[in-house]
Amino acid sequence: MDFRCIKVRLHEGQRERAIGWMRGFGSRADEAMEAMRHNGLRHEAVFLGSDDRGDYLLMVQASDDFAATTRAFLQSELPIDREALAALGEIGQRGQELELLVQLDADR
């Protein structure tokens, strides 16, 4: 299993919308888990941050094959995936994958 972190810089004024959208996944947990399984995404955690340039999301993800996971997400016809793709495009800039410096697994 590999990890990645994607930083999505939010457009000005989109902080509250991003928070509401992310928290909305809690009420759609079954649908979100189905989409994750469909796309090959094993884990995901999203963090909200701010700096002198504004707000951003950090999306930490785990997958066995990120190329396949990305393809599956972009081609998915699942409503939650279509909504997520549209929302990301509306609230923020194109995501930037951050460089992974270390990945440790205590269970190995």
Side-chain angles (χ1 to χ4, degrees):
M1 179 170 47
D2 293 316
F3 290 85
R4 71 179 176 189
C5 181
I6 299 172
K7 184 175 186 176
V8 177
R9 176 73 55 188
L10 298 179
H11 296 308
E12 188 173 334
Q14 293 297 309
R15 178 187 176 95
E16 294 307 315
R17 183 173 177 203
I19 291 170
W21 175 60
M22 285 293 158
R23 290 190 174 149
F25 283 109
S27 64
R28 298 174 75 179
D30 290 341
E31 189 180 2
M33 294 300 122
E34 175 189 352
M36 288 177 65
R37 284 189 292 276
H38 176 266
N39 298 334
L41 194 61
R42 297 190 48 196
H43 300 281
E44 182 172 48
V46 180
F47 299 86
L48 176 66
S50 297
D51 60 21
D52 59 342
R53 292 183 50 215
D55 300 315
Y56 57 87
L57 301 176
L58 289 179
M59 305 171 81
V60 180
Q61 302 172 330
S63 173
D64 292 323
D65 182 349
F66 277 118
T69 295
T70 300
R71 274 192 311 277
F73 173 67
L74 293 175
Q75 296 171 358
S76 175
E77 294 299 325
L78 295 173
I80 197 167
D81 283 340
R82 301 313 312 152
E83 292 167 25
L85 193 57
L88 281 170
E90 293 169 9
I91 65 172
Q93 300 172 6
R94 185 167 189 260
Q96 169 195 4
E97 189 167 342
L98 303 180
E99 181 180 359
L100 177 65
L101 297 179
V102 65
Q103 177 176 320
L104 304 172
D105 186 344
D107 294 326
R108 286 189 182 182

